[in-house]
């Protein structure tokens, strides 16, 4: 089969080919979604090492369990579910609790998040405005790490990655109402943690409503950017 045909295969076709014994299909599928899977793993775990381990655990599990995929959801939904659950398992077993911002170099590549990958606004900012936005992203990351892992995962998937609540419920294997509840509680906690940030005037944007601890910060617009690098070895 020539390269053009291989490149045109859908996610479902690639997964089916992997199950049928195609040695290259899973690697192509992973390469197609690597950036976003890494971004979700990093923001869910809050620690690059835990994220790398969780991503690798998830990909190994997906590689081995591909035959159990029944097509009830999109392949990307299934992949995210496996990776997020692997990260949550790592967090629970290690009882990881970190509140410091991630390293600055994780915000340099401009890839990873569905929202930030399509947001070219940083390119139009002057250095001072760019620095302010970077500081705000770091503050959001630090605040996210103070949330329970399940709340953080829901917020990352809904607010930062832009997935519908129904799809996130499938990823997290819970009811839609549970996702909404986790997001609501997480946003309320972030509003308290990020109140100084929301009260801080921003000359480059319309002045936000201030002094309201119940106000919800725009987590999506401040989402950090994280390059995938070589976070996980090929499961094969």
């Amino acid at each position: 089969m020539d390269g053009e045909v291989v490149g045109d295969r859908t996610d479902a076709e690639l997964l089916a080919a992997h199950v049928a014994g195609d040695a290259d299909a899973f690697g192509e599928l992973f390469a197609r979604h690597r950036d976003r899977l890494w971004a979700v793993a990093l923001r869910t775990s809050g620690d690059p090492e835990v994220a790398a381990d969780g991503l690798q655990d998830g990909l190994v599990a997906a590689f081995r369990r591909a035959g159990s995929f029944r097509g009830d959801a999109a392949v990307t939904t299934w992949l995210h579910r496996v990776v997020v659950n692997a990260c949550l398992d790592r967090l629970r077993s290690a009882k990881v609790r970190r509140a410091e911002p991630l390293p600055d170099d994780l915000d340099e590549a401009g890839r990873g998040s569905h929202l930030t990958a399509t947001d070219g606004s940083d390119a139009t900012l002057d250095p001072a405005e760019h620095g302010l936005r970077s500081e705000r992203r770091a503050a959001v990351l630090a605040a996210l790490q103070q949330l329970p892992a399940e709340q953080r995962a829901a917020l990352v998937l809904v607010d930062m990655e832009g997935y519908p609540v129904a799809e996130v419920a499938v990823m997290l294997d819970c009811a839609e109402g549970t996702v909404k509840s986790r997001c609501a509680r997480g946003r309320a906690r972030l509003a308290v943690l990020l109140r100084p940030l929301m009260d801080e005037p921003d000359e480059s944007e319309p002045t936000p409503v201030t002094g309201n601890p119940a106000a919800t910060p725009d987590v999506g617009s401040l989402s950090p950017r994280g390059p995938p690098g070589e976070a996980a070895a090929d499961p094969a």
Side-chain angles (χ1 to χ4, degrees), residues 43-44 84 88 148-158 168 172:
R43 292 161 193 162
T44 298
V84 169
L88 291 177
E150 287 78 9
Q151 287 181 22
R152 183 163 67 244
L155 275 178
V156 165
L157 292 167
V158 174
V168 173
L172 300 181

Side-chain angles (χ1 to χ4, degrees), residues 38-124:
W38 168 247
V40 168
L42 181 61
R43 292 161 193 162
T44 298
S45 65
D47 182 296
E49 291 185 8
V50 176
D53 289 340
L55 179 59
Q56 181 161 294
D57 289 349
L59 291 175
V60 169
F63 184 88
R64 293 174 176 172
R65 301 173 191 167
S68 67
F69 178 72
R70 296 289 178 256
D72 297 333
V75 172
T76 51
T77 300
W78 177 70
L79 286 173
H80 276 75
R81 176 178 178 176
V82 174
V83 170
V84 169
N85 284 335
C87 289
L88 291 177
D89 286 344
R90 284 270 176 177
L91 288 171
R92 293 185 191 108
S93 63
K95 291 184 170 60
V96 175
R97 294 292 184 271
R98 296 186 56 145
E100 64 267 25
L102 295 178
D104 291 340
D105 59 359
L106 292 176
D107 194 33
E108 295 300 321
R111 297 180 297 172
S113 168
H114 169 69
L115 295 175
T116 56
T118 56
D119 178 11
S121 60
D122 276 7
T124 64

Side-chain angles (χ1 to χ4, degrees), residues 133-154:
R133 180 168 292 190
S134 295
E135 289 178 5
R136 290 182 171 182
R137 287 185 181 128
V140 170
L141 268 177
L144 276 171
Q145 304 325 307
Q146 298 187 48
L147 300 181
E150 287 78 9
Q151 287 181 22
R152 183 163 67 244

Side-chain angles (χ1 to χ4, degrees), residues 156-181:
V156 165
L157 292 167
V158 174
D159 287 354
M160 300 180 79
E161 293 301 319
Y163 282 107
V165 169
E167 197 166 349
V168 173
V170 174
M171 293 179 191
L172 300 181
D173 193 22
C174 63
E176 291 182 34
T178 301
V179 174
K180 293 177 182 178
S181 177

